[in-house]
Amino acid sequence: MPELKSIIESFLFVSEEPLTLEKMKLALPETDVKAIKEAIQMLKDEYDHRKGSICLVEVAGGYQLRTRPEYADWIRKIIQPFAQRLSPAALETLAIIAYKQPIMRSDIEHIRGVDAGGIIRMLLDRKLIKILGRKEIPGRPLIYATTRHFLEIFGLRDIKDLPVPKDISDLGKPTVEAHEMTFPNNFIPTPDENT
Amino acid sequence: MFSDIYKVQLENIFEGPMDLLIYLIRKNEVNIYDIPISLITNRYLEYIEWLKAMNVDIAGDFLVMAATLIHIKSRMLLPVHEDSDEEDPRQEIARPLLEYLRMKSAALQLNERELLGEHTFIRSPAKTSGAGNLQDREIRVDLFELIQAFQRIIDNLSPDIAIDVVAEKLSIKDRMIELIWLLKDRGSLIFQELILSLDGKIEIIITFLAILEMVKRNAASIIQHTDTGNITLYLNESP
C-alpha cells in the first residue's frame, strides 16, 4: 500500500469541493481518523516546507489544495477570472447575514437603515446566502443564512471561524469606506446541506 | 454653512440615514455614547434641507431618522425623575449605530481575507473563472439581426453575380436537407461563410429561407458572437 499521505493527496487533487474528513474516512475504512488527520498535517507541513505555490487549507468543513496568494497575479494571466465587484453595501449586508444568521430581511434592513431587497436577491444569485425557511411569526417572513460556498469564498472553516467584529466606539477620522472586492461571477451551485 | 454641507456631498454618497448619521458624528468628533443630540439633529436636518434644495428625492428612511432624532431631542428636554430607571433616550440611536459600526467593521474584515477567485485559486477552473473563455460568450440573435446580416451580404455581392439567372430549380426543402447534412458533418456553420460559398442571389435567398424555416421548426438555432458579430448556425438535438 502506498503512503497514506500520498493517497490523501490524490484525493485532494481530484476533489472539486473541500474534502471532508468523513469522506476520506469512507474511502479509507481500514484507517482510523487519527491517522488520516496526522497524514493531512504531514502533507500540510510538506507543502509549507516546500514553499511552492500550493498550500493545503482547511475550509468550509473540509480540506482543499489552493494556490498561495502571492501567485494570484500570475494566475490571472492564464485563467482570467470573471470577477465582479461586490459593493460595500453588499458586503455589509453579507456580513450582517453571516454574523446574525438566521436573520429576517426586516432585521437586516433595521441594522443598515435601508432597503435590502435588491442586495439579498443578488447574494442569493451568487449562492453566498440561501433561504433557510420561514419564521413562524405573522407574515411568515423568509429567513436567510450563509451558504457553504460563502465559507469557501472567504476561506472560513465554519461559521464560528468568522473574525470577531471589533466593537467600535472610537470612530476614527472621517474616511470614506470605498472598499470593493472582486468576486468570480459564476458560481457553481454547491449542495448546502451543512453550513 | 451651505458650502460646508456641499463638501459633504462631494466626498460621500450616503446610502441611508445610518451612513449620514455616522458621517455627522465623525465629522463633528463627538462621542457616540454621549451624542450631543441637539447638534447632530440640527446638522442632520440641514443636510435633509440641502437635499431638498438640490431637488433630490429623499427616501422615507431619511425622514424616519429625522423624526427619531427629533423625538429623542424632545425626550431629552423632559425632566428625569431621580429614581427613574428609564434609560438615556439617546440609547435609541446609539445602540443601532454601534451595531451598524460593528457590522461595517465585520464587512471590512471579511474583505481583507484571502478570497477564493481573487487571491487564491483552486484547481477546478470552472469555480474560479468564468465558464469557458470570455471570447466564447454568445448571445442569441433574433430574426432581425439575421435579416440585417443577409442584407449586408446582398449589398456586398458584385453586380455580375446579381444578374446571373439561375436555371436550375432549387427548393427550400432540398436546401434544408443539404444544410442538415452539412451541420451534422461540421457541427456548426458560420452564416457569413456559408452565404459567401454560394453562387448567385437565388441560391442565397433559398439558403436564407431554408435557415429561417429550420429555425422556425426548431431544427436549428442561430447564435451571434458578441465580439466578432459572426452568426453561427447550430443543429438542435432532435427530441
Side-chain angles (χ1 to χ4, degrees):
Chain A
M1 185 166 146
E3 255 193 295
L4 181 61
K5 67 164 194 249
S6 302
I7 299 170
I8 289 169
E9 187 179 33
S10 73
F11 290 172
L12 292 168
F13 183 75
V14 296
S15 291
E16 295 221 339
E17 287 173 15
L19 190 60
T20 58
L21 213 54
E22 294 79 53
K23 218 168 165 185
M24 286 188 235
K25 171 69 188 156
L26 276 177
L28 300 161
E30 308 291 312
T31 321
D32 63 282
V33 176
K34 191 165 165 275
I36 296 176
K37 272 189 179 163
E38 277 167 13
I40 293 169
Q41 190 54 49
M42 269 163 73
L43 256 181
K44 205 169 179 223
D45 293 344
E46 266 180 34
Y47 277 114
D48 289 345
H49 185 72
R50 185 173 156 256
K51 290 194 170 63
S53 58
I54 292 167
C55 55
L56 205 172
V57 293
E58 201 181 336
V59 69
Y63 297 87
Q64 195 168 41
L65 294 176
R66 289 189 170 188
T67 61
R68 290 186 201 279
E70 300 94 282
Y71 298 90
D73 289 342
W74 294 99
I75 291 160
R76 263 190 226 104
K77 289 180 197 290
I78 191 158
I79 63 163
Q80 294 149 10
F82 192 61
Q84 207 177 6
R85 291 183 178 281
L86 204 64
S87 67
L91 205 56
E92 278 173 33
T93 308
L94 185 60
I96 291 169
I97 296 170
Y99 283 90
K100 308 270 173 190
Q101 60 187 309
I103 186 169
M104 296 184 292
R105 174 174 161 181
S106 59
D107 289 340
I108 300 167
E109 289 173 345
H110 183 73
I111 292 174
R112 293 199 61 243
V114 285
D115 180 88
I119 292 175
I120 287 176
R121 221 168 302 127
M122 186 270 287
L123 294 173
L124 281 170
D125 278 351
R126 293 192 179 196
K127 312 272 184 253
L128 289 168
I129 60 167
K130 63 185 174 187
I131 295 168
L132 206 64
R134 287 179 183 277
K135 198 168 176 131
E136 292 304 329
I137 57 168
R140 301 186 70 233
L142 294 169
I143 43 177
Y144 300 93
T146 52
T147 60
R148 196 171 68 187
H149 190 70
F150 163 79
L151 298 177
E152 282 184 56
I153 291 293
F154 287 90
L156 297 160
R157 275 196 297 274
D158 51 43
I159 280 303
K160 290 192 248 11
D161 194 28
L162 277 169
V164 179
K166 294 179 201 109
D167 254 321
I168 312 178
S169 47
D170 168 33
L171 293 169
K173 57 184 189 302
T175 49
V176 183
E177 276 141 11
H179 300 268
E180 285 184 316
M181 57 182 299
T182 53
F183 248 52
N185 189 33
N186 78 314
F187 289 144
I188 292 179
T190 49
D192 274 302
E193 62 290 336
N194 56 342
T195 31
Chain B
M1 179 64 75
F2 266 66
S3 65
D4 187 29
I5 303 169
Y6 186 57
K7 216 166 68 197
V8 171
Q9 179 62 8
L10 274 183
E11 62 189 69
N12 251 312
I13 295 159
F14 301 113
E15 213 215 332
M18 294 293 266
D19 279 324
L20 172 55
L21 214 52
I22 285 171
Y23 176 80
L24 292 174
I25 287 169
R26 281 180 176 169
K27 195 176 162 56
N28 292 282
E29 292 174 351
V30 298
N31 183 351
I32 197 157
Y33 296 105
D34 186 23
I35 301 171
I37 201 77
S38 179
L39 171 80
I40 293 299
T41 305
N42 288 344
R43 289 278 183 275
Y44 187 92
L45 293 176
E46 276 162 19
Y47 187 81
I48 299 285
E49 279 307 312
W50 178 81
L51 280 181
K52 276 192 200 151
M54 295 295 285
N55 283 326
V56 176
D57 266 338
I58 304 166
D61 305 323
F62 280 97
L63 298 178
V64 171
M65 178 64 82
T68 307
L69 287 171
I70 293 165
H71 180 65
I72 295 169
K73 190 176 161 186
S74 64
R75 274 168 65 197
M76 293 290 285
L77 294 173
L78 297 173
V80 185
H81 289 294
E82 285 292 319
D83 53 349
S84 156
D85 55 357
E86 212 172 287
E87 64 168 14
D88 188 331
R90 292 174 299 180
Q91 281 292 323
E92 190 185 334
I93 195 65
R95 222 179 353 238
L97 271 176
L98 283 167
E99 186 59 25
Y100 182 47
L101 284 170
R102 238 166 64 91
M103 288 298 120
K104 262 177 129 54
S105 103
L108 289 182
Q109 279 174 282
L110 277 181
N111 201 20
E112 279 159 12
R113 297 187 68 85
E114 278 156 15
L115 302 170
L116 181 64
E118 192 183 0
H119 306 111
T120 178
F121 295 83
I122 52 175
R123 196 181 50 76
S124 154
K127 271 206 166 179
T128 41
S129 67
N133 251 319
L134 276 185
Q135 285 126 13
D136 286 340
R137 284 195 305 136
E138 287 160 333
I139 52 162
R140 298 193 76 82
V141 283
D142 59 22
L143 286 182
F144 290 105
E145 280 163 291
L146 194 64
I147 291 165
Q148 272 176 20
F150 177 67
Q151 192 60 50
R152 273 198 299 274
I153 285 157
I154 291 291
D155 291 347
N156 289 342
L157 285 178
S158 50
D160 56 318
I161 299 175
I163 52 163
D164 232 4
V165 179
V166 182
E168 59 177 324
K169 278 258 184 178
L170 180 68
S171 77
I172 295 175
K173 198 180 157 200
D174 292 342
R175 179 88 301 199
M176 276 168 66
I177 293 165
E178 280 175 41
L179 282 175
I180 286 169
W181 279 113
L182 264 176
L183 283 170
K184 278 194 170 151
D185 187 37
R186 297 193 208 163
S188 68
L189 291 168
I190 294 172
F191 182 68
Q192 286 86 340
E193 287 174 10
L194 173 71
I195 295 291
L196 286 174
S197 71
L198 300 172
D199 249 2
K201 208 169 187 170
I202 299 287
E203 214 183 319
I204 295 172
I205 291 169
I206 297 280
T207 306
F208 183 64
L209 290 175
I211 293 172
L212 289 185
E213 189 64 29
M214 283 162 71
V215 172
K216 188 183 142 199
R217 292 188 190 182
N218 258 330
S221 29
I222 39 177
I223 279 166
Q224 187 173 34
H225 204 286
T226 39
D227 298 336
T228 61
N230 279 342
I231 291 173
T232 316
L233 191 65
Y234 291 99
L235 204 59
N236 284 348
E237 297 291 325
S238 40

